Amino acid sequence: MQSPGREPVAFACVKRRRRKPLPPSEWSGWSDAELLKLRFCDLDLTITGELESRIVQLQAELDARGLASKPHFWLSNEWFTPDGVPGIAIPFYLAHPRLAKLELAQMFEVEGGTAAWCLKILRHEAGHAIENAYDLRRRRKRVEIFGSTRVPYPEFYAPRPYSKSFVTHLDAWYAQAHPDEDFAETFAVWLDPESRWRERYDDWPALRKLEYMDELMASLSGVAPKVVRPEEVDPLSGLSTTLKQHYEAKREHYGVDRPSFYDRDLRRLFSDAPEHAKQPTAVSFIVRHRREIRHRVVHWTNLYQYTIDRVLGDMIARCRELGLRLRSTPEQTKLDFAVLLTVQAMNYLHSGRHRVAL
């Protein structure tokens, strides 16, 4: 996620209030409420263990392609690559399992939380970092094929799921968000040693982008980068925002609090009335039948699984918050819920609620 002219998201720690960062041994056993009171600059974290091994794998992939520029890495509040900087910021929660657990509780998912997912994002961010390192955005053919980097980033974008003019790599058809993201996504597919992009995209217009990427990166093999700036934008040590403030802003930005608009439909299907107190919870029912219901919706609509899972996650979270339980037979509820999920997934897809992550 390129960060064009990234605005500061937090104030630097004030000198008079600075205290020594706390190692994980101090806070790993704390409750969520206690953790949320900490500031980013209170966290003593380093890139080690599994996270470090994934970075090593990325660097090995870049070496295999002969690219002399290697991104540098640091921990911050989110994934991003600052405009003009050949380096990658990695979210703090990937540096410790306790923080990953907090992220899950606050956001219902941990972006980059698995090895495969983390590598996909790292390859994407490496595309931005390499483009910065070699100042590629102004090249005529780059602009001709991907579009101008000067195009403003939209707050929302409405993707075309079946378009073959873009590669598919990260969720939500992210290549369609902006020309810079299209470049980074194409780079990520090109870099992935298991993508077999020539075969997969054989009859796609996107193949032209991949062939250009292959040609462009071959021309840079062994070439020293133009930009070498080991700059770290918004490192943890410079952020005085508390984790509570961070998550409040993040939920507002990504619309995590929006599942309340499902309430009316969910209450028609489930109930929190005392007479249904002995019935199975809506959450346990949906989780138990999730695969079957999702399969039905995919079969009927041909929607991408990501879209369905996103809406399912919102509904599950809302059912948990409302304390809903079954009010009808399991078979009838499965049928009715599949219809509800179909309608809401289609609404999600066509309402433009795919928010750009900056």
Side-chain angles (χ1 to χ4, degrees):
M1 299 96 187
Q2 184 76 5
S3 181
R6 179 179 169 86
E7 296 181 358
V9 294
F11 297 103
C13 282
V14 181
K15 240 180 188 180
R16 60 185 173 82
R17 296 180 57 197
R18 181 179 290 276
R19 59 175 177 259
K20 187 177 180 181
L22 302 174
S25 60
E26 292 283 339
W27 45 258
S28 59
W30 290 6
S31 68
D32 285 3
E34 291 172 314
L35 279 177
L36 290 171
K37 295 177 183 178
L38 288 176
R39 301 171 299 171
F40 284 114
C41 56
D42 294 329
L43 298 172
D44 183 9
L45 294 170
T46 56
I47 297 176
T48 57
E50 292 183 359
L51 180 56
E52 184 178 26
S53 68
R54 291 162 194 168
I55 291 174
V56 169
Q57 182 172 340
L58 172 70
Q59 292 173 330
E61 292 175 4
L62 295 172
D63 285 337
R65 297 289 190 164
L67 292 171
S69 176
K70 300 296 186 297
H72 61 283
F73 303 87
W74 68 97
L75 295 173
S76 187
N77 55 356
E78 295 288 353
W79 287 103
F80 65 91
T81 298
D83 192 15
V85 177
I88 299 169
I90 298 177
F92 67 102
Y93 55 78
L94 292 182
H96 195 277
R98 179 63 186 92
L99 297 174
K101 183 179 179 181
L102 178 67
E103 177 77 9
L104 180 62
Q106 294 292 315
M107 300 301 299
F108 308 127
E109 67 177 4
V110 180
E111 188 177 21
T114 66
W117 195 358
C118 185
L119 276 167
K120 289 179 75 170
I121 299 175
L122 284 171
R123 292 182 186 117
H124 173 97
E125 298 297 346
H128 289 309
I130 293 295
E131 187 166 41
N132 290 341
Y134 292 99
D135 194 20
L136 301 177
R137 293 198 196 99
R138 298 180 183 179
R139 295 201 177 195
R140 181 185 58 79
K141 194 169 183 181
R142 189 278 191 201
V143 175
E144 173 192 332
I145 291 178
F146 292 100
S148 174
T149 192
R150 296 179 180 177
V151 173
Y153 266 80
E155 183 179 6
F156 296 95
Y157 68 106
R160 292 172 290 140
Y162 306 110
S163 174
K164 293 188 175 182
S165 296
F166 303 86
V167 299
T168 55
H169 177 66
L170 294 178
D171 290 334
W173 310 280
Y174 197 53
Q176 300 182 37
H178 187 271
D180 287 357
E181 305 306 342
D182 192 9
F183 182 94
E185 286 287 82
T186 303
F187 177 90
V189 170
W190 170 84
L191 182 64
D192 183 356
E194 298 180 1
S195 69
R196 302 174 66 181
W197 56 266
R198 290 189 185 278
E199 297 174 30
R200 180 182 177 188
Y201 294 95
D202 179 51
D203 60 345
W204 290 41
L207 181 63
R208 181 177 178 235
K209 296 176 180 178
L210 285 160
E211 289 176 336
Y212 168 69
M213 187 66 67
D214 192 49
E215 172 189 323
L216 177 61
M217 293 302 137
S219 72
L220 297 176
S221 180
V223 177
K226 292 183 177 180
V227 180
V228 182
R229 292 168 56 188
E231 180 181 351
E232 297 183 1
V233 176
D234 290 343
L236 291 185
S237 61
L239 299 177
S240 62
T241 303
T242 66
L243 299 189
K244 181 179 180 180
Q245 292 169 331
H246 164 74
Y247 282 119
E248 287 174 348
K250 189 174 182 180
R251 284 197 300 271
E252 181 180 356
H253 179 74
Y254 287 100
V256 173
D257 292 329
R258 66 177 167 76
S260 59
F261 70 71
Y262 296 127
D263 288 7
R264 185 183 67 173
D265 291 332
L266 289 174
R267 287 187 182 279
R268 287 177 178 175
L269 188 56
F270 303 106
S271 173
D272 61 353
E275 59 263 32
H276 298 114
K278 294 184 179 181
Q279 294 294 324
T281 66
V283 171
S284 64
F285 177 82
I286 296 172
V287 170
R288 185 182 308 116
H289 299 288
R290 182 173 188 156
R291 181 176 297 182
E292 178 187 348
I293 294 171
R294 182 172 56 202
H295 177 75
R296 288 186 184 183
V297 177
V298 169
H299 177 73
W300 294 339
T301 66
N302 203 32
L303 284 173
Y304 277 60
Q305 181 173 305
Y306 167 81
T307 303
I308 297 169
D309 279 343
R310 191 69 176 261
V311 176
L312 262 174
D314 287 347
M315 288 184 169
I316 290 172
R318 197 59 189 157
C319 284
R320 180 180 291 112
E321 292 167 3
L322 296 174
L324 299 179
R325 294 179 177 272
L326 263 65
R327 69 191 309 163
S328 184
T329 65
E331 284 305 314
Q332 185 61 47
T333 302
K334 270 195 291 187
L335 178 61
D336 291 343
F337 186 77
V339 172
L340 172 59
L341 179 60
T342 300
V343 172
Q344 292 295 354
M346 295 297 291
N347 287 341
Y348 177 87
L349 177 63
H350 295 295
S351 66
R353 290 204 300 272
H354 294 75
R355 188 184 285 269
V356 176
L358 295 180

